[in-house]
PDB file of all heavy atoms in Angstrom:
ATOM      1  N   THR A  95     104.743  94.421 111.643  1.00  0.00           N
ATOM      2  CA  THR A  95     103.994  93.298 112.164  1.00  0.00           C
ATOM      3  C   THR A  95     103.386  93.675 113.516  1.00  0.00           C
ATOM      4  O   THR A  95     104.095  94.125 114.405  1.00  0.00           O
ATOM      5  CB  THR A  95     104.907  92.071 112.348  1.00  0.00           C
ATOM      6  OG1 THR A  95     105.520  91.744 111.115  1.00  0.00           O
ATOM      7  CG2 THR A  95     104.099  90.887 112.850  1.00  0.00           C
ATOM      8  N   ILE A  96     102.087  93.499 113.609  1.00  0.00           N
ATOM      9  CA  ILE A  96     101.417  93.728 114.881  1.00  0.00           C
ATOM     10  C   ILE A  96     101.226  92.390 115.593  1.00  0.00           C
ATOM     11  O   ILE A  96     100.942  91.360 114.954  1.00  0.00           O
ATOM     12  CB  ILE A  96     100.045  94.440 114.670  1.00  0.00           C
ATOM     13  CG1 ILE A  96      99.447  94.878 115.999  1.00  0.00           C
ATOM     14  CG2 ILE A  96      99.077  93.581 113.852  1.00  0.00           C
ATOM     15  CD1 ILE A  96      98.201  95.761 115.842  1.00  0.00           C
ATOM     16  N   SER A  97     101.368  92.425 116.902  1.00  0.00           N
ATOM     17  CA  SER A  97     101.172  91.195 117.690  1.00  0.00           C
ATOM     18  C   SER A  97     100.694  91.613 119.069  1.00  0.00           C
ATOM     19  O   SER A  97     100.753  92.784 119.428  1.00  0.00           O
ATOM     20  CB  SER A  97     102.445  90.372 117.774  1.00  0.00           C
ATOM     21  OG  SER A  97     103.486  91.122 118.416  1.00  0.00           O
ATOM     22  N   ARG A  98     100.248  90.641 119.819  1.00  0.00           N
ATOM     23  CA  ARG A  98      99.808  90.937 121.193  1.00  0.00           C
ATOM     24  C   ARG A  98     100.109  89.755 122.080  1.00  0.00           C
ATOM     25  O   ARG A  98     100.150  88.610 121.646  1.00  0.00           O
ATOM     26  CB  ARG A  98      98.307  91.270 121.212  1.00  0.00           C
ATOM     27  CG  ARG A  98      97.373  90.128 120.839  1.00  0.00           C
ATOM     28  CD  ARG A  98      95.919  90.624 120.688  1.00  0.00           C
ATOM     29  NE  ARG A  98      95.370  91.135 121.942  1.00  0.00           N
ATOM     30  CZ  ARG A  98      94.322  91.949 122.007  1.00  0.00           C
ATOM     31  NH1 ARG A  98      93.718  92.336 120.906  1.00  0.00           N
ATOM     32  NH2 ARG A  98      93.874  92.350 123.176  1.00  0.00           N
ATOM     33  N   ASP A  99     100.254  90.091 123.374  1.00  0.00           N
ATOM     34  CA  ASP A  99     100.455  89.069 124.395  1.00  0.00           C
ATOM     35  C   ASP A  99      99.415  89.346 125.445  1.00  0.00           C
ATOM     36  O   ASP A  99      99.582  90.261 126.278  1.00  0.00           O
ATOM     37  CB  ASP A  99     101.878  89.129 124.955  1.00  0.00           C
ATOM     38  CG  ASP A  99     102.175  88.010 125.932  1.00  0.00           C
ATOM     39  OD1 ASP A  99     101.217  87.419 126.493  1.00  0.00           O
ATOM     40  OD2 ASP A  99     103.346  87.724 126.177  1.00  0.00           O
ATOM     41  N   ASN A 100      98.330  88.575 125.451  1.00  0.00           N
ATOM     42  CA  ASN A 100      97.243  88.862 126.382  1.00  0.00           C
ATOM     43  C   ASN A 100      97.645  88.554 127.814  1.00  0.00           C
ATOM     44  O   ASN A 100      97.039  89.104 128.742  1.00  0.00           O
ATOM     45  CB  ASN A 100      95.998  88.081 125.980  1.00  0.00           C
ATOM     46  CG  ASN A 100      95.310  88.693 124.772  1.00  0.00           C
ATOM     47  OD1 ASN A 100      95.625  89.808 124.330  1.00  0.00           O
ATOM     48  ND2 ASN A 100      94.390  87.944 124.168  1.00  0.00           N
ATOM     49  N   SER A 101      98.642  87.725 128.015  1.00  0.00           N
ATOM     50  CA  SER A 101      99.094  87.461 129.399  1.00  0.00           C
ATOM     51  C   SER A 101      99.875  88.625 129.970  1.00  0.00           C
ATOM     52  O   SER A 101     100.021  88.733 131.187  1.00  0.00           O
ATOM     53  CB  SER A 101      99.949  86.191 129.411  1.00  0.00           C
ATOM     54  OG  SER A 101     101.182  86.402 128.764  1.00  0.00           O
ATOM     55  N   LYS A 102     100.359  89.493 129.082  1.00  0.00           N
ATOM     56  CA  LYS A 102     101.112  90.677 129.516  1.00  0.00           C
ATOM     57  C   LYS A 102     100.356  91.984 129.282  1.00  0.00           C
ATOM     58  O   LYS A 102     100.898  93.058 129.495  1.00  0.00           O
ATOM     59  CB  LYS A 102     102.466  90.716 128.801  1.00  0.00           C
ATOM     60  CG  LYS A 102     103.366  89.566 129.139  1.00  0.00           C
ATOM     61  CD  LYS A 102     104.725  89.702 128.441  1.00  0.00           C
ATOM     62  CE  LYS A 102     105.657  88.557 128.820  1.00  0.00           C
ATOM     63  NZ  LYS A 102     106.979  88.662 128.133  1.00  0.00           N
ATOM     64  N   ASN A 103      99.122  91.879 128.804  1.00  0.00           N
ATOM     65  CA  ASN A 103      98.319  93.080 128.528  1.00  0.00           C
ATOM     66  C   ASN A 103      99.047  94.042 127.603  1.00  0.00           C
ATOM     67  O   ASN A 103      99.004  95.274 127.839  1.00  0.00           O
ATOM     68  CB  ASN A 103      97.897  93.768 129.836  1.00  0.00           C
ATOM     69  CG  ASN A 103      96.950  92.957 130.637  1.00  0.00           C
ATOM     70  OD1 ASN A 103      96.449  91.928 130.208  1.00  0.00           O
ATOM     71  ND2 ASN A 103      96.696  93.395 131.874  1.00  0.00           N
ATOM     72  N   THR A 104      99.702  93.521 126.611  1.00  0.00           N
ATOM     73  CA  THR A 104     100.553  94.369 125.770  1.00  0.00           C
ATOM     74  C   THR A 104     100.348  94.042 124.295  1.00  0.00           C
ATOM     75  O   THR A 104     100.222  92.874 123.922  1.00  0.00           O
ATOM     76  CB  THR A 104     102.030  94.188 126.147  1.00  0.00           C
ATOM     77  OG1 THR A 104     102.197  94.508 127.520  1.00  0.00           O
ATOM     78  CG2 THR A 104     102.919  95.089 125.313  1.00  0.00           C
ATOM     79  N   VAL A 105     100.347  95.089 123.480  1.00  0.00           N
ATOM     80  CA  VAL A 105     100.330  94.923 122.044  1.00  0.00           C
ATOM     81  C   VAL A 105     101.619  95.537 121.490  1.00  0.00           C
ATOM     82  O   VAL A 105     102.130  96.522 122.054  1.00  0.00           O
ATOM     83  CB  VAL A 105      99.080  95.583 121.410  1.00  0.00           C
ATOM     84  CG1 VAL A 105      99.039  97.097 121.666  1.00  0.00           C
ATOM     85  CG2 VAL A 105      99.002  95.278 119.926  1.00  0.00           C
ATOM     86  N   TYR A 106     102.140  94.948 120.428  1.00  0.00           N
ATOM     87  CA  TYR A 106     103.431  95.360 119.887  1.00  0.00           C
ATOM     88  C   TYR A 106     103.266  95.763 118.402  1.00  0.00           C
ATOM     89  O   TYR A 106     102.386  95.291 117.712  1.00  0.00           O
ATOM     90  CB  TYR A 106     104.428  94.204 119.973  1.00  0.00           C
ATOM     91  CG  TYR A 106     104.624  93.678 121.358  1.00  0.00           C
ATOM     92  CD1 TYR A 106     103.939  92.527 121.771  1.00  0.00           C
ATOM     93  CD2 TYR A 106     105.478  94.276 122.260  1.00  0.00           C
ATOM     94  CE1 TYR A 106     104.105  92.015 123.037  1.00  0.00           C
ATOM     95  CE2 TYR A 106     105.670  93.771 123.534  1.00  0.00           C
ATOM     96  CZ  TYR A 106     104.975  92.649 123.913  1.00  0.00           C
ATOM     97  OH  TYR A 106     105.150  92.140 125.178  1.00  0.00           O
ATOM     98  N   LEU A 107     104.200  96.583 117.974  1.00  0.00           N
ATOM     99  CA  LEU A 107     104.302  96.877 116.538  1.00  0.00           C
ATOM    100  C   LEU A 107     105.791  96.788 116.169  1.00  0.00           C
ATOM    101  O   LEU A 107     106.580  97.630 116.564  1.00  0.00           O
ATOM    102  CB  LEU A 107     103.750  98.241 116.203  1.00  0.00           C
ATOM    103  CG  LEU A 107     103.748  98.572 114.705  1.00  0.00           C
ATOM    104  CD1 LEU A 107     102.711  97.704 113.984  1.00  0.00           C
ATOM    105  CD2 LEU A 107     103.421 100.071 114.463  1.00  0.00           C
ATOM    106  N   ARG A 108     106.128  95.737 115.449  1.00  0.00           N
ATOM    107  CA  ARG A 108     107.482  95.550 114.964  1.00  0.00           C
ATOM    108  C   ARG A 108     107.575  96.268 113.628  1.00  0.00           C
ATOM    109  O   ARG A 108     106.822  95.961 112.707  1.00  0.00           O
ATOM    110  CB  ARG A 108     107.801  94.091 114.810  1.00  0.00           C
ATOM    111  CG  ARG A 108     109.190  93.805 114.222  1.00  0.00           C
ATOM    112  CD  ARG A 108     110.291  94.195 115.174  1.00  0.00           C
ATOM    113  NE  ARG A 108     111.630  93.912 114.620  1.00  0.00           N
ATOM    114  CZ  ARG A 108     112.759  94.139 115.287  1.00  0.00           C
ATOM    115  NH1 ARG A 108     112.753  94.661 116.506  1.00  0.00           N
ATOM    116  NH2 ARG A 108     113.932  93.869 114.706  1.00  0.00           N
ATOM    117  N   MET A 109     108.534  97.176 113.515  1.00  0.00           N
ATOM    118  CA  MET A 109     108.706  97.945 112.293  1.00  0.00           C
ATOM    119  C   MET A 109     110.073  97.703 111.708  1.00  0.00           C
ATOM    120  O   MET A 109     111.095  98.044 112.334  1.00  0.00           O
ATOM    121  CB  MET A 109     108.508  99.456 112.599  1.00  0.00           C
ATOM    122  CG  MET A 109     107.195  99.772 113.310  1.00  0.00           C
ATOM    123  SD  MET A 109     106.914 101.531 113.547  1.00  0.00           S
ATOM    124  CE  MET A 109     108.212 101.912 114.705  1.00  0.00           C
ATOM    125  N   ASN A 110     110.097  97.132 110.537  1.00  0.00           N
ATOM    126  CA  ASN A 110     111.349  96.875 109.824  1.00  0.00           C
ATOM    127  C   ASN A 110     111.481  97.743 108.592  1.00  0.00           C
ATOM    128  O   ASN A 110     110.477  98.297 108.104  1.00  0.00           O
ATOM    129  CB  ASN A 110     111.400  95.379 109.390  1.00  0.00           C
ATOM    130  CG  ASN A 110     111.456  94.443 110.563  1.00  0.00           C
ATOM    131  OD1 ASN A 110     111.974  94.748 111.646  1.00  0.00           O
ATOM    132  ND2 ASN A 110     110.909  93.234 110.379  1.00  0.00           N
ATOM    133  N   SER A 111     112.676  97.855 108.080  1.00  0.00           N
ATOM    134  CA  SER A 111     112.929  98.619 106.857  1.00  0.00           C
ATOM    135  C   SER A 111     112.267 100.005 106.920  1.00  0.00           C
ATOM    136  O   SER A 111     111.591 100.408 106.003  1.00  0.00           O
ATOM    137  CB  SER A 111     112.400  97.842 105.636  1.00  0.00           C
ATOM    138  OG  SER A 111     112.998  96.561 105.549  1.00  0.00           O
ATOM    139  N   LEU A 112     112.536 100.687 107.978  1.00  0.00           N
ATOM    140  CA  LEU A 112     111.900 101.982 108.204  1.00  0.00           C
ATOM    141  C   LEU A 112     112.320 102.998 107.141  1.00  0.00           C
ATOM    142  O   LEU A 112     113.472 102.995 106.678  1.00  0.00           O
ATOM    143  CB  LEU A 112     112.182 102.508 109.581  1.00  0.00           C
ATOM    144  CG  LEU A 112     111.344 101.844 110.697  1.00  0.00           C
ATOM    145  CD1 LEU A 112     111.974 102.030 112.054  1.00  0.00           C
ATOM    146  CD2 LEU A 112     109.923 102.371 110.674  1.00  0.00           C
ATOM    147  N   LYS A 113     111.380 103.862 106.785  1.00  0.00           N
ATOM    148  CA  LYS A 113     111.593 104.904 105.794  1.00  0.00           C
ATOM    149  C   LYS A 113     111.352 106.271 106.419  1.00  0.00           C
ATOM    150  O   LYS A 113     110.602 106.378 107.396  1.00  0.00           O
ATOM    151  CB  LYS A 113     110.604 104.721 104.647  1.00  0.00           C
ATOM    152  CG  LYS A 113     110.621 103.367 103.980  1.00  0.00           C
ATOM    153  CD  LYS A 113     109.522 103.278 102.948  1.00  0.00           C
ATOM    154  CE  LYS A 113     109.485 101.894 102.280  1.00  0.00           C
ATOM    155  NZ  LYS A 113     108.401 101.787 101.270  1.00  0.00           N
ATOM    156  N   PRO A 114     111.935 107.332 105.867  1.00  0.00           N
ATOM    157  CA  PRO A 114     111.644 108.654 106.394  1.00  0.00           C
ATOM    158  C   PRO A 114     110.141 108.961 106.395  1.00  0.00           C
ATOM    159  O   PRO A 114     109.680 109.730 107.268  1.00  0.00           O
ATOM    160  CB  PRO A 114     112.419 109.588 105.425  1.00  0.00           C
ATOM    161  CG  PRO A 114     113.574 108.754 104.987  1.00  0.00           C
ATOM    162  CD  PRO A 114     113.020 107.355 104.866  1.00  0.00           C
ATOM    163  N   THR A 115     109.388 108.416 105.462  1.00  0.00           N
ATOM    164  CA  THR A 115     107.957 108.657 105.427  1.00  0.00           C
ATOM    165  C   THR A 115     107.209 107.967 106.575  1.00  0.00           C
ATOM    166  O   THR A 115     106.009 108.220 106.745  1.00  0.00           O
ATOM    167  CB  THR A 115     107.365 108.157 104.100  1.00  0.00           C
ATOM    168  OG1 THR A 115     107.810 106.818 103.861  1.00  0.00           O
ATOM    169  CG2 THR A 115     107.826 109.048 102.939  1.00  0.00           C
ATOM    170  N   ASP A 116     107.880 107.127 107.352  1.00  0.00           N
ATOM    171  CA  ASP A 116     107.285 106.515 108.536  1.00  0.00           C
ATOM    172  C   ASP A 116     107.372 107.436 109.751  1.00  0.00           C
ATOM    173  O   ASP A 116     106.817 107.116 110.809  1.00  0.00           O
ATOM    174  CB  ASP A 116     107.942 105.188 108.845  1.00  0.00           C
ATOM    175  CG  ASP A 116     107.724 104.151 107.789  1.00  0.00           C
ATOM    176  OD1 ASP A 116     106.593 104.049 107.290  1.00  0.00           O
ATOM    177  OD2 ASP A 116     108.698 103.419 107.454  1.00  0.00           O
ATOM    178  N   THR A 117     108.061 108.557 109.618  1.00  0.00           N
ATOM    179  CA  THR A 117     108.192 109.493 110.719  1.00  0.00           C
ATOM    180  C   THR A 117     106.828 110.038 111.131  1.00  0.00           C
ATOM    181  O   THR A 117     106.071 110.573 110.310  1.00  0.00           O
ATOM    182  CB  THR A 117     109.125 110.659 110.321  1.00  0.00           C
ATOM    183  OG1 THR A 117     110.442 110.162 110.077  1.00  0.00           O
ATOM    184  CG2 THR A 117     109.166 111.728 111.403  1.00  0.00           C
ATOM    185  N   ALA A 118     106.530 109.886 112.414  1.00  0.00           N
ATOM    186  CA  ALA A 118     105.213 110.296 112.945  1.00  0.00           C
ATOM    187  C   ALA A 118     105.171 110.008 114.438  1.00  0.00           C
ATOM    188  O   ALA A 118     106.050 109.361 114.979  1.00  0.00           O
ATOM    189  CB  ALA A 118     104.090 109.540 112.247  1.00  0.00           C
ATOM    190  N   VAL A 119     104.133 110.526 115.062  1.00  0.00           N
ATOM    191  CA  VAL A 119     103.771 110.074 116.393  1.00  0.00           C
ATOM    192  C   VAL A 119     102.896 108.841 116.250  1.00  0.00           C
ATOM    193  O   VAL A 119     101.909 108.876 115.496  1.00  0.00           O
ATOM    194  CB  VAL A 119     103.051 111.158 117.196  1.00  0.00           C
ATOM    195  CG1 VAL A 119     102.656 110.634 118.582  1.00  0.00           C
ATOM    196  CG2 VAL A 119     103.940 112.390 117.337  1.00  0.00           C
ATOM    197  N   TYR A 120     103.251 107.778 116.911  1.00  0.00           N
ATOM    198  CA  TYR A 120     102.512 106.515 116.837  1.00  0.00           C
ATOM    199  C   TYR A 120     101.644 106.355 118.083  1.00  0.00           C
ATOM    200  O   TYR A 120     102.132 106.492 119.204  1.00  0.00           O
ATOM    201  CB  TYR A 120     103.456 105.353 116.682  1.00  0.00           C
ATOM    202  CG  TYR A 120     103.999 105.230 115.271  1.00  0.00           C
ATOM    203  CD1 TYR A 120     104.935 106.156 114.796  1.00  0.00           C
ATOM    204  CD2 TYR A 120     103.579 104.219 114.406  1.00  0.00           C
ATOM    205  CE1 TYR A 120     105.397 106.082 113.495  1.00  0.00           C
ATOM    206  CE2 TYR A 120     104.046 104.137 113.120  1.00  0.00           C
ATOM    207  CZ  TYR A 120     104.962 105.075 112.657  1.00  0.00           C
ATOM    208  OH  TYR A 120     105.432 104.997 111.366  1.00  0.00           O
ATOM    209  N   TYR A 121     100.372 106.032 117.859  1.00  0.00           N
ATOM    210  CA  TYR A 121      99.390 105.849 118.915  1.00  0.00           C
ATOM    211  C   TYR A 121      98.842 104.436 118.898  1.00  0.00           C
ATOM    212  O   TYR A 121      98.555 103.892 117.824  1.00  0.00           O
ATOM    213  CB  TYR A 121      98.248 106.798 118.729  1.00  0.00           C
ATOM    214  CG  TYR A 121      98.586 108.274 118.756  1.00  0.00           C
ATOM    215  CD1 TYR A 121      98.915 108.943 117.574  1.00  0.00           C
ATOM    216  CD2 TYR A 121      98.581 108.987 119.954  1.00  0.00           C
ATOM    217  CE1 TYR A 121      99.231 110.286 117.590  1.00  0.00           C
ATOM    218  CE2 TYR A 121      98.874 110.350 119.986  1.00  0.00           C
ATOM    219  CZ  TYR A 121      99.213 110.981 118.803  1.00  0.00           C
ATOM    220  OH  TYR A 121      99.528 112.335 118.806  1.00  0.00           O
ATOM    221  N   CYS A 122      98.650 103.867 120.085  1.00  0.00           N
ATOM    222  CA  CYS A 122      97.863 102.652 120.139  1.00  0.00           C
ATOM    223  C   CYS A 122      96.468 102.995 120.599  1.00  0.00           C
ATOM    224  O   CYS A 122      96.252 104.035 121.249  1.00  0.00           O
ATOM    225  CB  CYS A 122      98.492 101.565 120.971  1.00  0.00           C
ATOM    226  SG  CYS A 122      98.399 101.791 122.749  1.00  0.00           S
ATOM    227  N   ALA A 123      95.508 102.180 120.224  1.00  0.00           N
ATOM    228  CA  ALA A 123      94.107 102.446 120.497  1.00  0.00           C
ATOM    229  C   ALA A 123      93.375 101.129 120.717  1.00  0.00           C
ATOM    230  O   ALA A 123      93.828 100.072 120.271  1.00  0.00           O
ATOM    231  CB  ALA A 123      93.503 103.230 119.348  1.00  0.00           C
ATOM    232  N   ALA A 124      92.198 101.227 121.352  1.00  0.00           N
ATOM    233  CA  ALA A 124      91.430 100.038 121.694  1.00  0.00           C
ATOM    234  C   ALA A 124      89.948 100.289 121.572  1.00  0.00           C
ATOM    235  O   ALA A 124      89.485 101.402 121.770  1.00  0.00           O
ATOM    236  CB  ALA A 124      91.780  99.578 123.092  1.00  0.00           C
ATOM    237  N   TYR A 125      89.198  99.226 121.238  1.00  0.00           N
ATOM    238  CA  TYR A 125      87.747  99.271 121.417  1.00  0.00           C
ATOM    239  C   TYR A 125      87.291  97.864 121.763  1.00  0.00           C
ATOM    240  O   TYR A 125      87.925  96.874 121.382  1.00  0.00           O
ATOM    241  CB  TYR A 125      87.044  99.820 120.170  1.00  0.00           C
ATOM    242  CG  TYR A 125      86.982  98.942 118.948  1.00  0.00           C
ATOM    243  CD1 TYR A 125      85.856  98.154 118.700  1.00  0.00           C
ATOM    244  CD2 TYR A 125      88.035  98.928 118.050  1.00  0.00           C
ATOM    245  CE1 TYR A 125      85.811  97.344 117.588  1.00  0.00           C
ATOM    246  CE2 TYR A 125      87.971  98.129 116.928  1.00  0.00           C
ATOM    247  CZ  TYR A 125      86.864  97.335 116.704  1.00  0.00           C
ATOM    248  OH  TYR A 125      86.803  96.539 115.586  1.00  0.00           O
ATOM    249  N   HIS A 126      86.142  97.780 122.433  1.00  0.00           N
ATOM    250  CA  HIS A 126      85.666  96.510 122.964  1.00  0.00           C
ATOM    251  C   HIS A 126      85.090  95.628 121.862  1.00  0.00           C
ATOM    252  O   HIS A 126      84.379  96.105 120.960  1.00  0.00           O
ATOM    253  CB  HIS A 126      84.615  96.768 124.037  1.00  0.00           C
ATOM    254  CG  HIS A 126      84.445  95.613 124.955  1.00  0.00           C
ATOM    255  ND1 HIS A 126      83.616  94.538 124.655  1.00  0.00           N
ATOM    256  CD2 HIS A 126      85.001  95.357 126.196  1.00  0.00           C
ATOM    257  CE1 HIS A 126      83.656  93.682 125.639  1.00  0.00           C
ATOM    258  NE2 HIS A 126      84.482  94.146 126.590  1.00  0.00           N
ATOM    259  N   ARG A 127      85.394  94.369 121.928  1.00  0.00           N
ATOM    260  CA  ARG A 127      84.953  93.428 120.881  1.00  0.00           C
ATOM    261  C   ARG A 127      83.448  93.217 120.877  1.00  0.00           C
ATOM    262  O   ARG A 127      82.894  92.701 119.895  1.00  0.00           O
ATOM    263  CB  ARG A 127      85.659  92.091 121.018  1.00  0.00           C
ATOM    264  CG  ARG A 127      85.391  91.343 122.315  1.00  0.00           C
ATOM    265  CD  ARG A 127      86.221  90.097 122.339  1.00  0.00           C
ATOM    266  NE  ARG A 127      86.139  89.390 123.613  1.00  0.00           N
ATOM    267  CZ  ARG A 127      85.676  88.150 123.744  1.00  0.00           C
ATOM    268  NH1 ARG A 127      85.250  87.498 122.685  1.00  0.00           N
ATOM    269  NH2 ARG A 127      85.683  87.545 124.910  1.00  0.00           N
ATOM    270  N   SER A 128      82.776  93.630 121.955  1.00  0.00           N
ATOM    271  CA  SER A 128      81.305  93.490 121.979  1.00  0.00           C
ATOM    272  C   SER A 128      80.639  94.415 120.973  1.00  0.00           C
ATOM    273  O   SER A 128      79.433  94.283 120.703  1.00  0.00           O
ATOM    274  CB  SER A 128      80.790  93.784 123.363  1.00  0.00           C
ATOM    275  OG  SER A 128      81.000  95.139 123.713  1.00  0.00           O
ATOM    276  N   ARG A 129      81.390  95.326 120.410  1.00  0.00           N
ATOM    277  CA  ARG A 129      80.811  96.247 119.415  1.00  0.00           C
ATOM    278  C   ARG A 129      80.474  95.534 118.132  1.00  0.00           C
ATOM    279  O   ARG A 129      79.851  96.108 117.238  1.00  0.00           O
ATOM    280  CB  ARG A 129      81.770  97.381 119.131  1.00  0.00           C
ATOM    281  CG  ARG A 129      81.971  98.328 120.297  1.00  0.00           C
ATOM    282  CD  ARG A 129      81.387  99.661 120.017  1.00  0.00           C
ATOM    283  NE  ARG A 129      81.970 100.235 118.807  1.00  0.00           N
ATOM    284  CZ  ARG A 129      83.086 100.912 118.767  1.00  0.00           C
ATOM    285  NH1 ARG A 129      83.763 101.085 119.901  1.00  0.00           N
ATOM    286  NH2 ARG A 129      83.550 101.403 117.670  1.00  0.00           N
ATOM    287  N   GLY A 130      80.858  94.263 118.028  1.00  0.00           N
ATOM    288  CA  GLY A 130      80.379  93.459 116.906  1.00  0.00           C
ATOM    289  C   GLY A 130      81.288  93.460 115.729  1.00  0.00           C
ATOM    290  O   GLY A 130      82.347  94.056 115.760  1.00  0.00           O
ATOM    291  N   SER A 131      80.894  92.803 114.681  1.00  0.00           N
ATOM    292  CA  SER A 131      81.596  92.623 113.435  1.00  0.00           C
ATOM    293  C   SER A 131      82.756  91.653 113.569  1.00  0.00           C
ATOM    294  O   SER A 131      83.425  91.603 114.611  1.00  0.00           O
ATOM    295  CB  SER A 131      82.108  93.950 112.878  1.00  0.00           C
ATOM    296  OG  SER A 131      82.811  93.733 111.665  1.00  0.00           O
ATOM    297  N   THR A 132      82.976  90.867 112.559  1.00  0.00           N
ATOM    298  CA  THR A 132      84.100  89.920 112.551  1.00  0.00           C
ATOM    299  C   THR A 132      85.367  90.583 112.018  1.00  0.00           C
ATOM    300  O   THR A 132      86.431  90.006 112.093  1.00  0.00           O
ATOM    301  CB  THR A 132      83.775  88.704 111.723  1.00  0.00           C
ATOM    302  OG1 THR A 132      83.463  89.136 110.383  1.00  0.00           O
ATOM    303  CG2 THR A 132      82.583  87.944 112.295  1.00  0.00           C
ATOM    304  N   VAL A 133      85.237  91.805 111.497  1.00  0.00           N
ATOM    305  CA  VAL A 133      86.351  92.516 110.916  1.00  0.00           C
ATOM    306  C   VAL A 133      86.769  93.590 111.912  1.00  0.00           C
ATOM    307  O   VAL A 133      85.955  94.385 112.330  1.00  0.00           O
ATOM    308  CB  VAL A 133      85.995  93.128 109.572  1.00  0.00           C
ATOM    309  CG1 VAL A 133      87.184  93.909 109.019  1.00  0.00           C
ATOM    310  CG2 VAL A 133      85.561  92.057 108.611  1.00  0.00           C
ATOM    311  N   VAL A 134      88.032  93.648 112.246  1.00  0.00           N
ATOM    312  CA  VAL A 134      88.503  94.686 113.154  1.00  0.00           C
ATOM    313  C   VAL A 134      88.553  96.012 112.412  1.00  0.00           C
ATOM    314  O   VAL A 134      88.951  96.110 111.249  1.00  0.00           O
ATOM    315  CB  VAL A 134      89.914  94.343 113.683  1.00  0.00           C
ATOM    316  CG1 VAL A 134      90.425  95.421 114.608  1.00  0.00           C
ATOM    317  CG2 VAL A 134      89.877  93.001 114.409  1.00  0.00           C
TER     318      VAL A 134
END
C-alpha cells in the first residue's frame, strides 16, 4: 500500500506478506504534476 502525508513531505510504502521475490533495492521517485495527464 502506497500512501503519503503532504504535511510531513513523506511518502510511504507498506509491504505485507513479503516474499523472497520482493528482495531488491527500493527507490522512491518524483515528477511534477504540471507535466499533465490525469494518470500517474
